[in-house]
């Protein structure tokens, strides 16, 4: 048994169904991993929609047997069960009042790739990108491609019948499924397959549960076949209700897979899936067609489709403008030129790169001849194409990144309208939104008539909730008028469920009810979805009693301004649940989630926990913000700041965590650990130099380490960094020579007192590059205090720091930093904490050494045969990726291609085991490979803590960049 139970108090108000003691006992006896903790339940109460339903418990099954055990307990005790993958539903399908069954943590393997048969067998929690990585080795892929592919699970795609940008070529998930193994609520495990008419009839005649299902479904459909033929829309993208039209008697082949695809987990739970794989395209090229009018861009889609593109995706000016500013998509600014009001991204394929490029050029020429668009640009480069698609995938987040509480909301975004009527439909919707005085954004799958139209609403306000309902009703009537489908790919869920009967009529609705009873007689699988759904205005996450008052009271105690997002509360709510932080094996965000695979350790999980605490849903918000439960969730945040750049909504969890820690200190007083770590700069200043040998000896003694572990939380297994006998400071400056450009080099705590060789090497490198270097020592950056939430300490130090920086000339000269975490404090965190003009101005002068050298076009040469370079998290998050090709010769270096090193300042000393898990995710394995390949390898890391992680765990001696390179030609 692995029960994480500490308290059975209900999240209040607005909690879901409490699981009684007998049911808890049954789950415990089933030996499944289960949690009844209120905060964990609250974290699973939301997805990427604007809804919230708190479950009674969360279970993480390890295999099929445990899924069946949970269903048995649920059936016996009458507990609802909701299956969940990545929880990225935009319609509110993946939360419910009983048990949430998270299939993503353990049941996530790619079981087999059958290259010859073009098939893949996977578990329901397998991530789409991981499936495609395995299939790519055989020149294959699973073709449906939702924008959430980095975390979308196959089980979730089946439940939702997902499609994506290339559905005009490959269709929906149901078109690409060969066979499913599904668990029903009664314990039946059903294996589906595609059957001809005779084989189908044979199944209908079977005795037992399987025959009952085949015969029952046939009877439901055949008894109302004419109505189904007339009422089901004739568009390819349709997922409303259940796919009864796929079981009409005249069809030559039928498969029960089609009833489960798009059923939102209301009929059964996928245990395994056999997927159909398609050959990868030989090559692709893009043509971007610009328009100065959004509606005009939709009038030419049928002309564009004459060229057989595999995708046509629309981006409007809202997304394009945000893409140019957002750190996660800044590179797209090099691709999206000009100021168009809309762009159609048209992808064409060929057997070779030349053929694909030629097809794109032909397409562009044809569009020019037909006067389609104001400009047409062809991109054959894989790098440029990736920038375009990355921006498209982050479209939802970019819309939500708008400052303030008024965000683009998903409620009419899923309509599928036949192409001949699409422009007219969008024009009418835009008119409605103008009449309601609401901005709106439109983007996505133009090729198939599924445009994600998002009016911008503030769902804290009752009047905006009324506007949402009015717009939905009007848009729904138009979609019916044009013969479209109200649910094109995101499903019904809570947002569109109430429209199903209006859409299909009472006769088909009765057939849907009978289908639900046939497969799930007690009605326990994901209740309230498809059948008997609540109104779209119920269960809204911001409409809990007292939400606004509690949230405002909490926000008033925050110390950071969160200037870019409008304050603490909106910075927390900036997380819209799209779950980009759940990706595995790429990027940096979120290191602890990659290590534990627990939702509470994702950026989204932490943001949800903060929202619940600040809004009074965990009791008094003052106590909740200081609670052990909240800070256990926040505790494994490494404060890497990767979410600031990799999250499309720029959620800066490091800053939010610092404020939450500050609020805890205000209620309970700072811990000894927080005081000790915040005092590190003073300790280092005292202990380095002449006292270093004594200090180093003392801190290595076992009794001292035991005391530090007990009272300071520093794991005794981790070696502490050694103080230096030599200090780096003003005396290491280089006098100006004639023509040399003056610069300031900031001596941080680490280069001053621990690793002066890094500072001295930087001075020499800058001198050789022709700069006059003044080393300045204005004081510590405040990073240790910031990391511990000691914001009063950080503020007092920052006020003195910027005053001294100003006296040193920092308003007029670049302030070059060596340590990325200190640079991010100076440039990003402290200016927002202080809010002064001086801190903002000087923060704008801060630059990391590597970026400065790139800006100055300095060419470097390695002193070793090969460099292995690991970039610091803050380096990438705040200052952007370094174009190493501009600094170093091609072939002279290898990037670690890893996320966080796992040390993250004091984190690795406090959480040694998780720290090592993070390092072993990619960094250490990649380093070992590089060491095997290069005999003369220099390991480079800008961060002091990164260097210590590598030294401790890889038994190597990492250096700063300046120590292992020289200016080219010298």
């Amino acid at each position: 048994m692995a029960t994480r139970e500490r308290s059975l108090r209900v999240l209040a108000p607005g909690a879901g169904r409490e699981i009684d003691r007998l049911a808890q006992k049954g789950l415990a006896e089933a030996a499944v991993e289960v949690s009844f903790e209120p905060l964990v339940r609250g974290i699973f109460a939301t997805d990427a929609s604007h809804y919230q339903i708190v479950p009674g418990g969360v279970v993480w099954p390890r295999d099929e047997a445990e899924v069946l055990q949970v269903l048995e307990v649920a059936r016996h005790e009458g507990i609802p069960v909701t299956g969940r993958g990545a929880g990225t539903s935009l319609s509110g399908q993946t939360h419910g009042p009983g048990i949430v069954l998270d299939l993503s943590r353990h049941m996530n393997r790619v079981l087999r790739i059958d290259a010859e048969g073009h098939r893949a067998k996977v578990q329901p929690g397998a991530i789409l990108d991981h499936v495609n990585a395995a299939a790519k080795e055989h020149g294959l892929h699973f073709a449906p491609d939702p924008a959430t592919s980095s975390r979308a699970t196959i089980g979730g795609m089946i439940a939702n019948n997902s499609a994506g940008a290339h559905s005009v070529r490959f269709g929906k998930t149901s078109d690409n499924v060969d066979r499913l193994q599904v668990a029903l609520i009664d314990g039946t495990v059903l294996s589906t397959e595609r059957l001809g008419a005779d084989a189908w009839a044979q199944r209908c005649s079977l005795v037992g549960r399987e025959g009952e299902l085949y015969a029952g479904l046939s009877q439901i459909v055949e008894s109302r076949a004419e109505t189904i033929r007339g009422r089901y829309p004739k568009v390819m993208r349709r997922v409303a209700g259940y796919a009864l039209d796929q079981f009409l008697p005249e069809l030559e082949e039928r498969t029960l897979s089609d009833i489960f695809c798009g059923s939102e987990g209301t009929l059964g739970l996928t245990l395994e899936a056999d997927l159909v794989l398609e050959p990868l395209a030989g090559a692709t090229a893009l043509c971007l067609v610009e328009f100065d009018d959004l509606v005009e861009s939709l009038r030419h889609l049928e002309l564009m489709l004459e060229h057989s593109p595999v995708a046509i995706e629309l981006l409007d000016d809202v997304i394009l403008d945000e893409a140019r500013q957002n750190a996660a998509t800044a590179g797209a600014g090099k691709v999206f030129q000009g100021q168009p009001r809309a762009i159609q991204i048209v992808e064409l394929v060929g057997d070779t790169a030349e053929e694909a490029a030629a097809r794109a050029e032909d397409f562009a020429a044809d569009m020019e001849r037909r006067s389609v668009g104001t400009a047409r640009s062809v991109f054959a480069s894989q790098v440029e194409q990736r920038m375009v698609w990355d921006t498209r995938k982050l479209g939802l987040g970019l819309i939500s990144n708008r400052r303030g509480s008024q965000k683009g909301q998903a409620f009419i975004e899923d309509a599928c309208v036949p192409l001949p009527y699409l422009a007219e439909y969008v024009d009418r919707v835009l008119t409605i939104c103008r009449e309601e005085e609401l901005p709106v954004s439109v983007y996505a799958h133009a090729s198939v008539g599924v445009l994600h139209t998002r009016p911008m609403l503030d769902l804290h306000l009752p009047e905006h909730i009324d506007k949402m309902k009015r717009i939905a009703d009007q848009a729904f009537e138009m979609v019916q008028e044009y013969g479209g489908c109200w649910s094109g790919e995101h499903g019904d869920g809570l947002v569109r469920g109430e429209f199903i009967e209006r859409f299909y009529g009472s006769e088909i609705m009765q057939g849907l009810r009978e289908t639900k009873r046939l497969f799930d007689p007690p009605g326990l699988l994901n209740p309230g979805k498809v059948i008997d759904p609540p109104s779209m205005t119920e269960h809204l996450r911001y409409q809990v009693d007292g939400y606004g008052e509690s949230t405002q009271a909490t926000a008033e105690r925050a110390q950071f301004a969160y200037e870019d997002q409008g304050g603490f509360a909106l910075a927390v709510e900036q997380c819209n649940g799209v779950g980009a932080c759940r990706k595995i094996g790429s990027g940096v965000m979120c290191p602890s989630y990659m290590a534990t695979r627990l939702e509470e350790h994702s950026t989204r999980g932490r943001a949800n926990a903060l929202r619940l605490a600040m809004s009074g849903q965990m009791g008094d918000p003052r106590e909740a913000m200081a609670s052990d439960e909240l800070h256990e969730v926040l505790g494994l945040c490494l404060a890497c700041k990767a979410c600031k750049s990799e999250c499309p909504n720029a959620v800066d969890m490091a800053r939010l965590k610092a404020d939450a820690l500050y609020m805890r200190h205000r209620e309970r007083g700072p811990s000894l650990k927080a005081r000790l770590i915040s005092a590190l700069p003073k300790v280092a200043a005292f202990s380095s130099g002449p006292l270093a040998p004594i200090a180093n000896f003392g801190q290595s003694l076992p009794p001292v380490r035991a005391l530090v572990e007990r009272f300071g939380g520093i794991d005794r297994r981790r070696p502490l960094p050694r103080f230096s006998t030599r200090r780096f400071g003003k005396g290491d400056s280089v006098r100006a020579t004639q023509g040399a450009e003056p610069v300031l080099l900031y001596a941080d705590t680490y280069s001053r007192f621990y690793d002066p060789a890094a500072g001295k090497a930087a001075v020499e490198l800058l001198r050789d590059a022709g700069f006059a270097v003044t080393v300045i020592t204005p004081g510590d950056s405040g990073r240790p205090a910031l990391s511990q939430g000691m914001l009063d300490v950080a503020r007092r130090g920052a006020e003195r720091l910027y005053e001294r920086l100003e006296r040193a000339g920092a308003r007029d000269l670049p302030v070059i930093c060596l340590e990325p975490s200190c640079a991010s404090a100076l440039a990003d965190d402290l200016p927002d904490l202080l809010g002064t003009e001086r801190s903002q101005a000087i923060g704008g002068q801060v630059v990391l050494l590597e970026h400065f050298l790139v800006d100055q076009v300095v060419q470097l040469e390695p002193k070793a045969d090969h460099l292995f370079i690991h970039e610091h998290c803050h380096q990438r998050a705040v200052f952007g990726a370094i174009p190493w090709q501009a600094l170093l010769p091609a072939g002279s270096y290898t990037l670690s291609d890893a996320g966080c090193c796992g040390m993250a300042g004091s984190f690795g000393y406090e959480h040694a085991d998780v720290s090592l898990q993070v390092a072993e995710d990619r960094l250490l394995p990649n380093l070992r490979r590089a060491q095997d390949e290069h005999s003369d390898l220099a390991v480079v890391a800008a961060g002091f803590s990164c260097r210590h992680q590598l030294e401790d765990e890889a038994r190597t001696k990492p250096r700063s960049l300046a120590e292992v390179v020289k200016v080219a030609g010298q």
Side-chain angles (χ1 to χ4, degrees):
M1 179 182 70
T3 305
R4 302 192 305 159
E5 175 186 356
R6 185 166 52 248
S7 169
L8 295 179
R9 64 186 175 85
V10 181
L11 281 159
R17 171 174 178 163
E18 189 74 359
I19 297 178
D20 64 29
R21 289 283 181 181
L22 285 176
Q24 290 178 36
K25 183 175 182 292
L27 290 170
E29 289 175 350
V32 296
E33 186 178 359
V34 58
S35 176
F36 305 112
E37 291 182 27
L39 190 52
V40 173
R41 290 163 45 210
I43 287 170
F44 278 84
T46 57
D47 48 24
S49 70
H50 42 249
Y51 294 101
Q52 172 177 302
I53 299 176
V54 181
V58 182
V59 177
W60 296 269
R62 297 175 183 85
D63 52 32
E64 174 184 324
E66 290 194 357
V67 172
L68 295 175
Q69 286 177 309
V70 172
L71 292 179
E72 182 181 3
V73 173
R75 183 174 67 254
H76 186 265
E77 301 294 338
I79 304 170
V81 177
T82 298
R84 180 175 170 118
T88 56
S89 162
L90 293 167
S91 305
Q93 296 103 315
T94 63
H95 38 66
I99 295 169
V100 165
L101 201 62
D102 183 350
L103 297 161
S104 69
R105 187 176 182 214
H106 299 299
M107 298 179 66
N108 54 24
R109 290 182 297 146
V110 178
L111 299 172
R112 184 172 66 251
I113 299 292
D114 175 7
E116 185 176 344
H118 288 201
R119 296 291 186 271
K121 182 181 287 293
V122 304
Q123 292 183 306
I127 295 171
L128 174 58
D129 277 358
H130 295 183
V131 174
N132 281 334
K136 185 178 181 181
E137 297 179 9
H138 306 281
L140 302 169
H141 71 135
F142 184 59
D145 59 340
T148 55
S149 64
S150 65
R151 61 271 190 200
T153 64
I154 297 299
M157 292 177 65
I158 290 166
N160 198 59
N161 204 4
S162 300
H166 294 84
S167 64
V168 68
R169 166 68 175 80
F170 295 110
K172 307 182 294 293
T173 295
S174 57
D175 301 310
N176 295 272
V177 166
D178 183 43
R179 184 190 303 261
L180 297 177
Q181 186 168 303
V182 182
L184 306 186
I185 189 65
D186 61 8
T188 299
V189 175
L190 190 67
S191 182
T192 70
E193 57 185 311
R194 193 164 296 278
L195 302 171
D198 292 342
W200 183 273
Q202 289 177 352
R203 294 292 174 90
C204 292
S205 65
L206 292 175
V207 176
R209 183 68 168 132
E210 186 175 5
E212 177 187 345
L213 293 172
Y214 279 90
L217 184 59
S218 296
Q219 194 278 327
I220 289 169
V221 173
E222 290 172 10
S223 64
R224 47 184 62 83
E226 282 305 311
T227 306
I228 291 172
R229 293 186 190 102
R231 292 298 293 261
Y232 269 69
K234 306 303 186 288
V235 290
M236 184 265 286
R237 295 286 288 272
R238 60 188 192 280
V239 296
Y242 302 134
L244 298 183
D245 60 326
Q246 297 302 301
F247 301 92
L248 289 166
E250 64 266 24
L251 295 174
E252 293 182 3
E253 288 188 335
R254 282 167 278 180
T255 173
L256 282 185
S257 296
D258 286 338
I259 203 66
F260 294 111
C261 286
S263 68
E264 303 185 1
T266 61
L267 303 180
L269 296 172
T270 301
L271 299 172
E272 283 183 7
D274 288 3
L275 309 176
V276 178
L277 302 179
E278 295 285 344
L280 286 166
T284 61
L286 299 180
C287 180
L288 272 57
V289 186
E290 299 181 13
F291 295 86
D292 56 14
D293 180 77
L294 173 64
V295 175
E296 177 65 18
S297 75
L298 303 174
R299 300 192 192 281
H300 310 283
L301 292 170
E302 291 174 291
L303 289 179
M304 293 179 175
L305 287 170
E306 291 177 5
H307 288 259
S308 300
V310 295
I312 304 177
E313 293 287 299
L314 171 71
L315 297 180
D316 73 352
D317 57 334
V318 175
I319 291 179
L320 294 173
D321 290 345
E322 184 59 38
R324 295 185 183 96
Q325 303 172 43
N326 190 279
T329 54
K334 302 173 184 177
V335 176
F336 301 126
Q337 303 298 329
Q339 296 294 323
R341 298 299 303 274
I343 284 179
Q344 295 285 9
I345 304 168
V346 184
E347 184 176 71
L348 299 111
V349 300
D351 292 334
T352 65
E354 292 75 17
E355 182 182 345
R359 290 196 62 201
E361 293 287 357
D362 289 346
F363 174 85
D366 188 36
M367 294 302 104
E368 185 173 7
R369 281 193 300 272
R370 300 189 191 207
S371 299
V372 175
T374 58
R376 302 138 213 97
S377 304
V378 171
F379 298 100
S381 157
Q382 292 300 308
V383 173
E384 290 175 325
Q385 291 185 63
R386 188 161 50 250
M387 286 183 183
V388 173
W389 284 122
D390 285 348
T391 301
R392 163 60 193 92
K393 285 188 173 186
L394 294 174
L396 167 58
L398 294 172
I399 291 171
S400 302
N401 213 24
R402 176 188 173 107
R403 189 180 189 276
S405 56
Q406 198 168 337
K407 309 286 188 184
Q409 298 294 347
F411 62 101
I412 63 171
E413 89 299 347
D414 205 30
C416 179
V417 176
L419 294 187
Y421 310 111
L422 185 60
E424 181 181 333
Y425 167 74
V426 170
D427 194 26
R428 290 172 68 184
V429 170
L430 294 176
T431 299
I432 293 170
C433 291
R434 280 194 296 271
E435 292 171 353
E436 295 284 0
E437 299 181 328
L438 296 175
V440 63
S441 180
V442 183
Y443 72 105
H445 316 307
S447 60
V448 288
V450 180
L451 292 179
H452 298 333
T453 305
R454 283 177 163 259
M456 297 186 184
L457 297 160
D458 181 357
L459 293 183
H460 300 82
L461 304 176
E463 57 267 33
H464 275 222
I465 295 171
D466 292 340
K467 288 185 178 187
M468 177 174 72
K469 188 66 169 69
R470 285 198 300 270
I471 293 170
D473 284 334
Q474 293 176 75
F476 172 79
E477 296 296 336
M478 285 189 276
V479 170
Q480 278 202 308
E481 174 188 338
Y482 293 128
C485 186
W486 191 228
S487 298
E489 68 170 343
H490 294 161
D492 301 312
L494 296 172
V495 74
R496 277 176 289 275
E498 68 174 273
F499 293 90
I500 296 175
E501 186 161 5
R502 288 169 60 184
F503 186 76
Y504 284 127
S506 58
E507 184 181 356
I508 290 178
M509 191 68 220
Q510 181 58 30
L512 300 179
R513 293 182 191 281
E514 291 175 13
T515 302
K516 170 70 170 175
R517 285 196 296 271
L518 176 65
F519 284 85
D520 176 25
L524 294 176
L525 291 178
N526 208 11
K529 319 303 190 308
V530 183
I531 305 302
D532 299 325
S535 164
M536 66 180 294
T537 59
E538 294 182 35
H539 302 296
L540 294 172
R541 68 165 72 175
Y542 302 134
Q543 291 301 306
V544 176
D545 291 343
Y547 188 102
E549 183 179 349
S550 296
T551 297
Q552 181 178 355
T554 304
E556 288 172 355
R557 294 156 54 215
Q559 298 301 295
F560 287 103
Y562 303 93
E563 186 59 36
D564 292 342
Q565 294 164 324
F568 177 81
L570 290 176
V572 172
E573 292 176 357
Q574 189 70 8
C575 174
N576 63 5
V578 295
C581 47
R582 285 177 56 100
K583 66 184 187 299
I584 302 292
S586 65
V588 182
M589 177 184 68
C590 173
S592 50
Y593 175 77
M594 292 185 194
T596 69
R597 309 292 175 92
L598 284 168
E599 173 75 12
E600 65 210 68
H601 296 148
S602 67
T603 305
R604 179 176 71 179
R606 296 183 186 106
N608 272 327
L610 281 169
R611 180 178 54 81
L612 293 165
M614 77 175 184
S615 60
Q617 296 182 75
M618 291 173 58
D620 179 80
R622 187 179 293 269
E623 295 178 4
M625 289 297 295
S627 67
D628 291 341
E629 290 87 349
L630 175 65
H631 287 275
E632 283 184 14
V633 169
L634 296 179
L636 286 191
C637 170
L638 286 82
C640 68
K641 293 181 82 75
C643 45
K644 183 178 176 66
S645 61
E646 292 187 18
C647 170
N649 296 103
V651 173
D652 190 344
M653 186 51 61
R655 191 173 296 178
L656 292 167
K657 176 184 177 182
D659 244 333
L661 282 168
Y662 172 81
M663 294 181 200
R664 178 178 170 93
H665 298 333
R666 288 286 300 269
E667 292 298 309
R668 302 189 176 190
S671 65
L672 180 58
K673 181 195 76 173
R675 294 179 187 273
L676 286 173
I677 294 174
S678 297
L680 175 65
K682 294 180 180 178
V683 173
F686 177 80
S687 301
S688 60
L691 293 179
I694 300 173
N696 290 332
F697 175 74
Q699 72 176 12
S700 67
L701 294 173
V704 174
R705 294 307 310 273
L707 286 172
V708 172
E709 181 178 71
R710 180 177 179 183
F711 296 106
I714 305 301
D715 195 306
R716 72 179 77 184
R717 295 172 294 174
R718 297 301 304 250
L720 293 173
R722 296 174 63 81
F723 302 105
S724 174
T725 56
R726 182 192 180 280
R727 292 172 178 169
F728 173 64
K730 296 179 181 178
D732 292 293
S733 300
V734 174
R735 291 183 180 180
T737 58
Q738 187 173 5
E741 184 178 339
V743 297
L744 304 177
L745 181 62
Y746 172 68
D748 57 78
T749 293
Y750 309 102
S751 62
R752 284 197 74 190
F753 306 124
Y754 290 101
D755 194 2
K760 187 170 179 58
V763 171
E764 293 172 354
L765 185 66
L766 288 166
R767 178 202 62 198
D768 293 345
F771 297 96
V773 185
T774 299
V775 179
I776 54 174
T777 57
D780 182 71
S781 69
R783 176 56 65 196
L786 290 168
S787 72
Q788 297 301 310
M790 300 289 282
L791 300 185
D792 288 341
V793 174
R795 179 182 286 105
R796 288 194 298 270
E799 289 169 349
R800 295 190 297 269
L801 173 67
Y802 285 106
E803 181 181 344
R804 293 168 182 168
L805 284 167
E806 185 173 46
R807 289 203 302 266
R811 279 183 179 266
D812 304 311
L813 296 175
V815 180
I816 301 173
C817 292
L818 305 178
E819 172 59 43
S821 63
C822 294
S824 68
L826 295 174
D828 185 44
D829 291 313
L830 294 180
D832 193 63
L833 182 65
L834 293 180
T836 62
E837 185 277 333
R838 176 165 59 190
S839 63
Q840 295 284 350
I842 294 175
Q845 295 291 97
V846 172
V847 62
L848 281 165
L849 174 65
E850 294 84 350
H851 290 86
F852 178 79
L853 294 172
V854 170
D855 293 342
Q856 299 300 315
V857 198
V858 176
Q859 302 291 310
L860 303 177
E861 293 178 356
K863 295 177 182 178
D865 287 346
H866 201 81
L867 304 182
F868 178 86
I869 302 172
H870 178 67
E871 296 177 312
H872 192 282
C873 300
H874 288 212
Q875 195 173 44
R876 285 178 276 189
V878 178
F879 300 95
I882 299 167
W884 291 101
Q885 69 275 9
L887 277 179
L888 295 164
S892 68
Y893 63 92
T894 297
L895 298 181
S896 70
D897 190 31
C900 181
C901 73
M903 184 61 83
S906 65
F907 179 90
Y909 297 100
E910 301 172 62
H911 306 281
D913 293 330
V914 174
S915 171
L916 183 56
Q917 281 182 271
V918 172
E920 286 288 357
D921 177 60
R922 277 168 288 156
L923 174 57
L924 295 180
N926 291 353
L927 173 56
R928 293 180 194 118
R929 280 193 290 271
Q931 289 172 327
D932 290 340
E933 294 170 4
H934 301 280
S935 57
D936 184 19
L937 183 73
V939 180
V940 179
F944 177 75
S945 61
C946 301
R947 295 199 290 273
H948 271 267
Q949 178 78 312
L950 288 163
E951 183 173 358
D952 293 348
E953 302 302 335
R955 301 299 182 262
T956 187
K957 187 63 178 176
R959 301 292 185 187
S960 66
L961 179 70
E963 293 176 87
V964 298
V965 298
K966 60 182 178 179
V967 176
Q970 294 198 6

